Each structure stands twice: as structure tokens, then as C-alpha cells.
Amino acid sequence: DGGITQSPKYLFRKEGQNVTLSCEQNLNHDAMYWYRQDPGQGLRLIYYSQIVNDFQKGDIAEGYSVSREKKESFPLTVTSAQKNPTAFYLCASKDELTGDNSPLHFGNGTRLTVT
Amino acid sequence: AQSVTQLDSQVPVFEEAPVELRCNYSSSVSVYLFWYVQYPNQGLQLLLKYLSGSTLVKGINGFEAEFNKSQTSFHLRKPSVHISDTAEYFCAVSEADAGNQFYFGTGTSLTVIP
């Protein structure tokens, strides 16, 4: 079955450490996204990428970095510069070929806890 | 930029009762509208979408939504809820000709009471 795989599901880190969250998709989608979810705040866009080797900052990119070396993969690094990194992180993808009206497809998320 | 408002942060409802979850968006440009459901510690799953045509759209699990352009609303309804409908529901909007940006509401937590 096609889908988006995020790993690990739960991640624990000490403050001051960088951590990388994995996102892999086999849907052959061009566009990929990273969202952060906090209770009562909905989803906030961190970064998105419409094509390999290109990505754009979203609304809350500070303290995060991404790469898009392969179409299938869009890893997110949470750096030590991110002041409040504990959150639920969601990766999504979108089929650009079917046009603007395609929905987002989501992975099952990674819950990051930093202490 | 769009803003999406889900006025009700929590909606308790008894099992087998009807429910309506409200969603309003800000822009008058052409939009695509989506409702997603999220179960605890999982990702978002698409319930239904409005792209064009009939203003009443039907989705999975017996949900439906009605697009009202004049009121810039896209309310989600179900005539009879089940315990299994307990979840978080998100309304999302993307703009025609700018389809890479999605705007999400803050979510409505639906709790079905036995």
C-alpha cells in the first residue's frame, strides 16, 4: 500500500541536541510538507518542498532545517536553536500532477519530547 | 492569507444524536475546502473535500458538508454519531491557483457520550 511513513513514532532528546525526524513516501508525490501540532493551535507549517533540491520556509521555520535530496524523502532536523521543540510533528505530501485541488496526505506523526 | 475559524473547540454529543461542526474561512477568492479527522496520536485522515460543483459533499463514515459561498462556510454534519466518531476534526482551505498553501483551523474535539 502507498503511504507516508514517519519514524520513529516517539522520540526523546536532551535539551541542546539536534534531532532528525524521518519522512518517507511511496506515493510518487512531488510536494512534501512538515507541520507542527500543539494542543489548541492546530497545524502550523514549518517547511515545504515542491520539488527535489528545493524547499521553502513556512510560518515557523526558525530552529528547523530540512533537505530534499530524493523525491521520496523529506527529513526534518530540529536544532538546538528551537526554543520549544516538544510537539507532535506531522509530515504530509501532495500530488501536484492532479492540480491545485489535490488534498494533503499525512503520515502518522512523530511525538518529540525534549527535556 | 486565509484564516480558518472553527468556533467550537469542544463539542460533546450523545450517541445517535446529530452533530454539526462549524467552519468559516476568510477569503472570497475561489477555494478548495477539506475536512480531516485525527484520532489520538495519529495523523490526519481526509473525510471529504469540496472542489467544485454540488455544494453538498459526502464523505467517509457517514459525514457530509455543505459549502456556502455567501457565508464563506463549510460546516460538517452527521445525522447520527457513534462512539467511534470521537476524535479531533480539522477544517482546511487552499486557494485556487495557489494550491500549495493549506490553511488549517484550530480543530474541534468531538466527544460522543454513550
Side-chain angles (χ1 to χ4, degrees):
Chain A
D1 283 341
I4 300 175
T5 301
Q6 291 188 243
S7 60
K9 188 166 182 64
Y10 299 96
L11 192 52
F12 298 88
R13 281 292 183 272
K14 295 289 188 183
E15 193 173 323
Q17 294 179 334
N18 291 355
V19 59
T20 297
L21 282 60
S22 170
C23 178
E24 302 279 332
Q25 55 100 358
N26 61 4
L27 298 168
N28 200 34
H29 287 174
D30 284 304
M32 297 187 73
Y33 302 73
W34 274 105
Y35 288 90
R36 171 180 171 140
Q37 185 177 20
D38 296 282
Q41 295 193 47
L43 278 69
R44 292 183 290 169
L45 181 64
I46 305 173
Y47 270 98
Y48 68 101
S49 168
Q50 294 178 254
I51 197 169
V52 173
N53 292 322
D54 187 48
F55 46 82
Q56 286 77 43
K57 292 182 178 180
D59 301 319
I60 56 164
E62 185 176 349
Y64 299 97
S65 65
V66 293
S67 63
R68 188 84 187 279
E69 297 176 2
K70 298 186 300 182
K71 186 176 184 178
E72 302 80 16
S73 179
F74 191 40
L76 173 74
T77 297
V78 185
T79 75
S80 57
Q82 168 51 233
K83 298 302 180 191
N84 185 19
T86 294
F88 190 53
Y89 290 88
L90 287 161
C91 180
S93 70
K94 179 176 178 286
D95 184 2
E96 295 291 287
L97 292 178
T98 55
D100 283 344
N101 57 18
S102 300
L104 290 174
H105 298 257
F106 285 87
N108 279 328
T110 292
R111 186 166 297 280
L112 173 64
T113 302
V114 177
T115 58
Chain B
Q2 283 276 352
S3 68
V4 181
T5 303
Q6 292 182 246
L7 283 172
D8 305 307
S9 60
Q10 297 184 356
V11 173
V13 61
F14 286 103
E15 191 175 14
E16 297 184 7
V19 70
E20 178 180 83
L21 306 183
R22 296 179 293 169
C23 174
N24 288 87
Y25 61 96
S26 61
S27 177
S28 59
V29 301
S30 293
V31 294
Y32 305 119
L33 299 156
F34 308 87
W35 274 100
Y36 287 87
V37 61
Q38 184 182 35
Y39 300 102
N41 290 314
Q42 292 189 24
L44 276 66
Q45 178 184 359
L46 183 67
L47 269 180
L48 50 77
K49 59 187 177 184
Y50 171 79
L51 306 179
S52 64
S54 173
T55 57
L56 183 65
V57 293
K58 294 188 183 297
I60 62 172
N61 301 341
F63 284 93
E64 63 182 31
E66 185 156 18
F67 169 56
N68 188 318
K69 187 174 182 179
S70 63
Q71 298 186 4
T72 59
S73 68
F74 190 52
H75 301 332
L76 181 70
R77 302 187 184 102
K78 186 169 183 178
S80 175
V81 294
H82 302 136
I83 296 290
S84 59
D85 293 323
T86 294
E88 190 88 14
Y89 292 80
F90 291 94
C91 180
V93 176
S94 71
E95 295 178 345
D97 300 326
N100 285 306
Q101 288 283 358
F102 286 78
Y103 302 91
F104 284 85
T106 52
T108 297
S109 177
L110 174 65
T111 301
V112 180
I113 304 163

